[in-house]
């Protein structure tokens, strides 16, 4: 046993990050371990989002009576520190969900498709971070600040399992800021250009960005294992597969998921998604055309009151949202709020949004969904 213990790899729940991790913690549950709390499972716990699940659960004091750390056979036996205790990672199997109330999944679409329904059959409520079930009409696609009613009736303690899908990170970050404006003036058309961080492709991409940066600065050829193109000091079209209509899958997620979350098939959405050499927060330039007039001052007042949104919009100092300003933060930042001068009658706005892709774009949103199940 001593030899086995010495061979284990220990994970600490903090993904690759180039700076310290200040936390903006609000609306905390602050309960942590409870004998009568729900039993949890984290699937894909050794990945970047899996590690962030643990960080968010800890920060928000999510109540739990037990927790299982689940991953592939390759990661089984490794250890994870959580709430001051060492937990051994177990191999994900069909029997992993016996007695589990809530399972947070972030292990990829194929794993979700295989094990998600098995977990539901055993009475587990699955919050899935992959794209596997997002467009299934029977599966709620939820941003808690935007459409909480989509998961009405799904609760822990009923004995009934269920699937709930976490939207794509770009969709979450976008709709956190745009939805309050949409409720006021109704968006007819939305044009989104994204600037997406390495974190969206996982811990390996984050590590490769660091490695490539060192290599390029040292005059070496960059190692390109994750992306075909050099990532450091470069940008390129998002690496998702390009479809027959010329859009890539990431862009179409923004189109389809927005319509589903807003329950509005008529809204026109177009997107261009770009990878930029940023570590862990996405930025998005969004142009909005409204049915009803909305001037920029009214938009600022609406956004000031929007949950989970902060405004960084200082024209005099030229200070606006940046990925670094939102990294490791819960809130989505909005700035560059200005009237679209190409549209008459105050029926257009341009805004710039930044949000932490791993946190609000993935783990935090999933844990907020889990909180609504209690």
């Amino acid at each position: 046993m001593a030899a086995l213990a010495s061979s284990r790899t220990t994970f600490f729940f903090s993904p690759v990050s180039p700076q310290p991790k200040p936390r903006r913690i609000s609306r905390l549950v602050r309960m942590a371990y409870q004998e009568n709390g729900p039993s949890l499972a984290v699937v894909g716990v050794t990945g970047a989002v899996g590690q962030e699940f643990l960080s968010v659960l800890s920060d928000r004091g999510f109540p739990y009576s037990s927790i299982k750390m689940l991953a592939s056979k390759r990661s089984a036996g490794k250890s994870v520190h959580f709430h001051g205790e060492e937990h051994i990672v177990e191999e994900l199997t069909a029997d992993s969900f016996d007695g589990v109330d809530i399972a947070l999944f972030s292990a990829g679409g194929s794993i979700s498709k295989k094990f998600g329904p098995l977990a539901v059959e055993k009475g587990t409520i699955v919050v899935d971070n992959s794209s596997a079930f997002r467009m299934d009409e029977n599966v709620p696609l939820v941003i808690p600040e935007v459409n909480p009613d989509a998961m009405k009736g799904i609760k822990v303690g009923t004995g009934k399992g269920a699937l709930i899908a976490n939207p794509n990170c770009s969709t979450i970050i976008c709709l956190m800021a745009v939805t309050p404006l949409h409720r006021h003036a109704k968006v007819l058309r939305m044009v989104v250009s994204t600037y997406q961080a390495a974190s969206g492709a996982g811990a390996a991409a984050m590590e490769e960005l660091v490695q490539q940066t060192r290599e390029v600065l040292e005059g070496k050829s960059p190692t390109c294992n994750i992306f075909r193109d050099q990532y450091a000091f470069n940008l390129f079209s998002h690496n998702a597969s390009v479809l027959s209509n010329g859009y890539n899958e990431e862009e179409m997620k923004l189109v389809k998921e927005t319509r589903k979350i807003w329950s509005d098939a008529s809204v026109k959405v177009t997107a261009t998604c770009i990878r930029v050499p940023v570590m862990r927060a996405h930025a998005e330039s969004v142009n909005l055309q409204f049915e009803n007039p909305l001037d920029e001052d009214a938009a600022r007042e609406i956004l000031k009151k929007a949950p989970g949104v902060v405004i960084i919009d200082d024209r005099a100092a030229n200070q606006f949202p940046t990925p670094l300003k939102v990294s490791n933060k819960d809130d989505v930042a909005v700035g560059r709020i200005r009237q679209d001068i190409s549209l008459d009658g105050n029926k257009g706005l341009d805004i710039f949004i930044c949000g932490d892709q791993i946190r609000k774009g993935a783990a935090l949103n999933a844990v907020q969904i889990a909180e609504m199940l209690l």
Side-chain angles (χ1 to χ4, degrees):
M1 289 297 290
L4 176 61
S6 65
S7 68
R8 288 174 180 155
T9 301
T10 299
F11 285 80
F12 296 87
F13 50 90
S14 55
V16 176
S17 179
Q19 67 268 331
K21 298 188 72 175
R23 296 294 190 197
R24 179 187 177 97
I25 306 172
S26 58
R27 302 176 294 279
L28 299 184
V29 180
R30 282 296 178 211
M31 295 159 77
Y33 174 78
Q34 282 192 356
E35 188 175 342
N36 61 347
S39 54
L40 304 180
V42 178
V43 179
V45 70
T46 57
V49 175
Q51 294 284 283
E52 196 72 11
F53 278 149
L54 299 185
S55 181
V56 175
L57 289 168
S58 179
D59 281 353
R60 296 177 73 86
F62 190 92
Y64 68 97
S65 57
S66 65
I67 185 166
K68 284 185 177 182
M69 309 296 185
L70 301 172
S72 66
K73 184 176 182 179
R74 183 179 66 255
S75 295
K78 297 174 181 178
S79 62
V80 173
H81 286 272
F82 178 64
H83 273 181
E85 296 182 358
E86 182 180 285
H87 298 261
I88 303 303
V89 177
E90 301 176 32
E91 180 183 355
L92 175 64
T93 70
D95 298 323
S96 295
F97 303 99
D98 292 339
V100 172
D101 295 313
I102 301 172
L104 304 176
F105 273 59
S106 188
S110 61
I111 297 297
S112 294
K113 287 178 181 178
K114 179 178 179 180
F115 290 98
L118 293 176
V120 171
E121 287 178 8
K122 298 197 174 189
T124 302
I125 300 174
V126 172
V127 184
D128 181 45
N129 193 55
S130 80
S131 61
F133 305 105
R134 287 175 186 158
M135 299 315 298
D136 187 323
E137 63 180 14
N138 297 314
V139 176
L141 183 66
V142 178
I143 305 172
E145 296 90 343
V146 173
N147 62 332
D149 289 346
M151 51 183 286
K152 186 176 180 180
I154 304 176
K155 289 287 184 181
V156 167
T158 64
K160 295 181 180 179
L163 278 167
I164 303 169
N166 224 28
N168 185 47
C169 50
S170 298
T171 306
I172 293 172
I173 291 166
C174 181
L175 296 192
M176 283 289 293
V178 174
T179 300
L181 306 177
H182 173 60
R183 288 172 177 158
H184 185 88
K186 184 172 173 50
V187 172
L188 296 178
R189 183 170 186 261
M190 179 167 71
V191 181
V192 186
S193 299
T194 72
Y195 313 91
Q196 296 186 218
S199 55
M206 298 167 77
E207 292 164 3
E208 184 162 288
L209 176 56
V210 173
Q211 179 183 356
Q212 282 193 9
T213 302
R214 291 195 186 103
E215 290 170 340
V216 173
L217 290 174
E218 292 171 359
K220 301 176 182 177
S221 296
T223 300
C224 297
N225 292 327
I226 306 302
F227 301 118
R228 179 181 63 250
D229 295 292
Q230 177 181 319
Y231 198 14
F233 306 100
N234 193 24
L235 56 82
F236 46 83
S237 181
H238 193 283
N239 52 295
S241 299
V242 178
L243 306 174
S244 60
N245 64 359
Y247 286 74
N248 64 42
E249 290 179 349
E250 187 80 0
E251 292 158 352
M252 290 308 299
K253 287 174 186 177
L254 265 165
V255 175
K256 295 176 181 179
E257 292 177 20
T258 296
R259 291 171 175 168
K260 179 173 178 177
I261 291 166
W262 282 355
S263 299
D264 185 355
S266 68
V267 64
K268 299 181 184 302
V269 181
T270 185
T272 301
C273 294
I274 304 296
R275 284 275 187 213
V276 296
V278 169
M279 190 58 69
R280 62 167 287 156
H282 290 352
E284 302 182 10
S285 172
V286 182
N287 174 264
L288 301 167
Q289 181 178 354
F290 299 105
E291 181 177 282
N292 302 307
L294 178 63
D295 65 55
E296 63 184 48
D297 291 330
R300 286 189 190 89
E301 291 304 310
I302 292 167
L303 291 169
K304 282 179 184 177
K305 299 173 185 176
V309 173
V310 295
I311 295 178
I312 305 175
D313 198 42
D314 187 344
R315 293 179 181 177
N318 200 9
Q319 289 295 305
F320 303 105
T322 69
L324 285 177
K325 287 175 182 175
V326 300
S327 288
N328 304 296
K329 303 288 181 64
D330 288 354
D331 291 335
V332 170
V334 188
R336 298 300 316 277
I337 303 164
R338 63 201 188 279
Q339 221 72 52
D340 178 352
I341 60 173
S342 72
L343 289 172
D344 297 328
N346 286 342
K347 290 192 174 181
L349 283 175
D350 286 297
I351 61 176
F352 189 70
I353 310 167
C354 288
D356 188 312
Q357 178 274 330
I358 301 180
R359 203 157 176 92
K360 180 54 185 174
L364 173 60
N365 199 79
V367 172
Q368 287 176 304
I369 290 172
E371 289 172 352
M372 294 170 60
L373 299 173
L374 304 180

